Amino acid sequence: MVGIIVENLNESVVYDWVGLHKSLKDNGYEPNKYKRGYIKVGIFKGKYHSLDGNHRHRILLGIYGPDKIIDVIYNGIPYKN
């Protein structure tokens, strides 16, 4: 799964996708554990989009699918589910 994500990104930035995938798979998404752990979202054209944390978002989407509800920050306010 990680290989497919990386293959389709066309990003020039070197990123440890495998390490992040392993961490999220083994430990889950724990935003309180890290200084910048929350995925920050905003609304564009009526849909939520990741503003910060898009690497985590892509991997979580691959692991859990689109119906997984996660804690995020929107307009500076943490939303915990």
Side-chain angles (χ1 to χ4, degrees), residues 45-75:
K45 293 186 178 183
K47 293 185 178 183
Y48 287 98
H49 293 273
S50 175
L51 303 174
D52 182 25
N54 49 335
H55 293 95
R56 284 168 279 155
H57 176 255
R58 285 183 188 221
I59 290 176
L60 289 169
L61 187 61
I63 293 171
Y64 298 110
D67 295 328
K68 174 74 173 170
I69 297 173
I70 61 169
D71 298 344
V72 297
I73 289 182
Y74 173 69
N75 281 342

